[in-house]
């Protein structure tokens, strides 16, 4: 490891533009996309801002760690799907759930009630063709000026990346699963 000298001067000037709602994307094959979005939700909630989280692939009855914690602190989180597609008995039904969930998420984005709306794992119904990409793009463009939207999931469509203000790609360097370690409570769920 190389040792670095800590910076003695600020590396960049403060931007001069207006504050406004942002579109943020967390994508890539690495771990941490949803976790990063949930961190933003916690930060906004901690500042007294209204937050709503929609999970496009989780079932409404999911009770993962984030569901338990968000329930305790009062951040609404909704599972809109029926779980992993490879476990689905009816992919047409999965697509119908995604479309119905999108209508709920779209209303939350356009309604202006929420400072931050998280669309967790929304890239999957987009890339499976279950949600109309243009409608999602139009909704992002038409949202009230101060509404922030975070979209997560692998293989985010380039069209979404193009309209986003901030895009982070989580890169997989190494994962315990590759070494045969199964998912663990409190880490993956």
């Amino acid at each position: 490891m190389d040792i670095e000298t800590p910076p003695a001067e600020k590396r960049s000037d403060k931007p001069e533009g207006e504050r406004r709602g942002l579109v943020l994307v967390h994508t890539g094959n690495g771990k941490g996309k949803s976790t990063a979005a949930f961190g933003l939700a916690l930060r906004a909630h901690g500042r007294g801002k209204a937050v709503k989280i929609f999970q496009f692939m989780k079932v409404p009855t999911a009770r993962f760690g984030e569901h338990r914690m968000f329930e305790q602190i009062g951040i609404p989180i909704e599972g809109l799907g029926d779980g992993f597609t490879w476990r689905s008995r009816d992919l047409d039904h999965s697509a119908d759930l995604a479309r119905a969930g999108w209508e709920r998420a779209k209303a939350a984005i356009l309604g202006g009630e929420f400072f931050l709306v998280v669309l967790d794992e929304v890239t999957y119904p987009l890339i499976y063709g279950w949600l109309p990409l243009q409608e999602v793009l139009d909704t992002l463009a038409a949202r009230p000026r101060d509404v922030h939207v975070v979209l997560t999931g692998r293989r985010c469509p380039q069209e979404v990346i193009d309209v986003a203000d901030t895009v982070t790609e989580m890169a997989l360097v190494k994962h315990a699963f590759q070494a045969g370690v199964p998912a663990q409570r409190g880490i993956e769920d």
Side-chain angles (χ1 to χ4, degrees):
M1 177 179 86
D2 293 331
I3 303 296
E4 295 182 9
T5 302
E9 296 178 16
K10 190 166 80 170
R11 292 187 177 182
S12 62
D13 293 329
K14 184 177 179 180
E16 298 293 326
E18 273 187 84
R19 294 182 191 271
R20 60 174 175 78
L22 302 174
V23 173
L24 303 103
V25 171
H26 299 301
T27 193
N29 290 328
K31 185 168 172 42
K33 296 174 288 294
S34 297
T35 305
F38 298 157
L40 288 173
L42 289 170
R43 178 175 282 168
H45 181 75
R47 289 289 192 165
K49 307 291 187 182
V51 175
K52 179 75 178 200
I53 301 171
F54 295 96
Q55 291 188 296
F56 278 84
M57 301 306 287
K58 301 290 190 290
V59 298
T61 57
R63 297 291 296 154
F64 296 114
E66 63 265 25
H67 299 101
R68 296 163 192 257
M69 192 67 232
F70 289 144
E71 181 180 288
Q72 287 180 31
I73 64 174
I75 295 178
I77 181 169
E78 284 188 47
L80 303 171
D82 60 356
F84 297 115
T85 55
W86 53 89
R87 291 187 179 169
S88 177
R89 292 191 175 110
D90 183 353
L91 288 176
D92 289 333
H93 176 67
S94 300
D96 290 341
L97 289 173
R99 284 188 283 274
W102 167 247
E103 291 304 318
R104 295 174 63 77
K106 178 180 170 182
I109 292 167
L110 296 176
E113 174 186 350
F114 298 101
F115 172 82
L116 175 66
V117 178
V118 176
L119 306 178
D120 187 40
E121 299 177 331
V122 72
T123 62
Y124 304 110
L126 281 170
I127 62 179
Y128 300 155
W130 297 349
L131 298 181
L133 176 60
Q134 191 58 53
E135 185 175 331
V136 172
L137 295 171
D138 291 345
T139 299
L140 294 173
R143 75 191 189 284
R145 179 171 174 69
D146 295 326
V147 173
H148 302 270
V149 180
V150 183
L151 301 90
T152 75
R154 296 171 189 243
R155 300 183 309 282
C156 185
Q158 186 62 47
E159 295 88 344
V160 175
I161 289 171
D162 290 345
V163 303
D165 297 289
T166 300
V167 178
T168 301
E169 183 173 359
M170 296 352 188
L172 177 63
V173 176
K174 185 177 181 179
H175 196 292
F177 186 79
Q178 296 167 323
V181 179
Q184 298 184 55
R185 290 252 159 113
I187 300 296
E188 277 83 20
D189 76 357

